[in-house]
Amino acid sequence: MSPTRTLLLCGSLALFANVIPTQQALAVALRPNKTTDDSVCDLTHHTNLYLGSKTLVPSVAQTKDKVDAYFRLAGEFVAGKCKNGQLLMVQGDSASNVDIRSLTELANSSCAVAAISRTEVTLSLGDLTYPGFELRCTILKHAELVDKLNSLERADPMESLKTRLAAAAQQGDRGPSRTDSGSQAKKDCDKMSLSSILQGGSCK
């Protein structure tokens, strides 16, 4: 290899090495290819809608499991990608109790509660628009968030939570199980009154 080509190759490698750290520093957004910088921890647009597109969180699951799942999914991103001093930004559907509870818990666990600001916004999904909200605050409790996530993981591993969510989705596809129907029938029989028996009611 000629000295000129060697010099050009070394120069290209040096330039490439300088570009990589800059790209990593800019990637503090939940959605890929979103322009941002390392002053913000950006989980917009519509935080839970995006998280739900990556991890199954069925609408038929128990509310507690849905709130817990979205909080932990968003929290894991903040814990792994963000840091104290950054502006946390999340968005949710104003009509969704799950969005309100999970995203408020994330903000409360990451920031000083008194410093959290809420703004009403308009969210869009295709041609549909609907009322939403945006929470913003400066991350000050990164270590506390990490401790909380670790505590939740010890008490209820994320894999166990995902298993319950998947089971809820499968049950929703099948409809009420025979066991559920049988249990309801037994409850009805247990509640039968004398008048219902006289009118021809019976239990098997």
Side-chain angles (χ1 to χ4, degrees), residues 136 141 147 168 184:
R136 292 190 177 203
K141 303 190 295 187
D147 288 343
Q184 184 61 47

Side-chain angles (χ1 to χ4, degrees), residues 19-111:
V19 169
I20 292 177
T22 303
Q23 291 176 334
Q24 290 176 337
L26 294 176
V28 193
L30 178 63
R31 290 178 179 266
N33 304 319
K34 188 171 185 180
T35 302
T36 185
D37 59 58
D38 64 358
S39 70
V40 298
C41 177
D42 187 355
L43 279 71
T44 62
H45 169 78
H46 203 318
T47 307
N48 287 351
L49 182 66
Y50 181 77
L51 292 171
S53 71
K54 300 300 179 183
T55 300
L56 176 65
V57 184
S59 60
V60 293
Q62 294 185 3
T63 298
K64 181 182 181 302
D65 281 347
K66 290 187 287 186
V67 171
D68 191 22
Y70 282 126
F71 166 72
R72 290 166 74 168
L73 291 169
E76 287 171 3
F77 178 85
V78 176
K81 301 290 186 180
C82 305
K83 60 187 178 182
N84 284 339
Q86 289 181 322
L87 179 66
L88 176 65
M89 302 164 56
V90 297
Q91 283 182 351
D93 182 347
S94 295
S96 169
N97 184 48
V98 171
D99 279 14
I100 293 170
R101 288 174 56 185
S102 62
L103 297 178
T104 298
E105 184 178 359
L106 176 66
N108 290 345
S109 301
S110 306
C111 311

Side-chain angles (χ1 to χ4, degrees), residues 84-156:
N84 284 339
Q86 289 181 322
L87 179 66
L88 176 65
M89 302 164 56
V90 297
Q91 283 182 351
D93 182 347
S94 295
S96 169
N97 184 48
V98 171
D99 279 14
I100 293 170
R101 288 174 56 185
S102 62
L103 297 178
T104 298
E105 184 178 359
L106 176 66
N108 290 345
S109 301
S110 306
C111 311
V113 176
I116 300 171
S117 67
R118 172 174 168 142
T119 304
E120 302 307 312
V121 298
T122 299
L123 299 176
S124 61
L125 182 61
D127 295 332
L128 176 67
T129 60
Y130 49 98
F133 66 93
E134 181 170 296
L135 302 179
R136 292 190 177 203
C137 59
T138 300
I139 300 173
L140 298 175
K141 303 190 295 187
H142 187 274
E144 289 90 333
L145 174 64
V146 172
D147 288 343
K148 183 171 185 176
L149 291 170
N150 288 337
S151 178
L152 288 171
E153 181 64 22
R154 289 191 296 270
D156 182 19

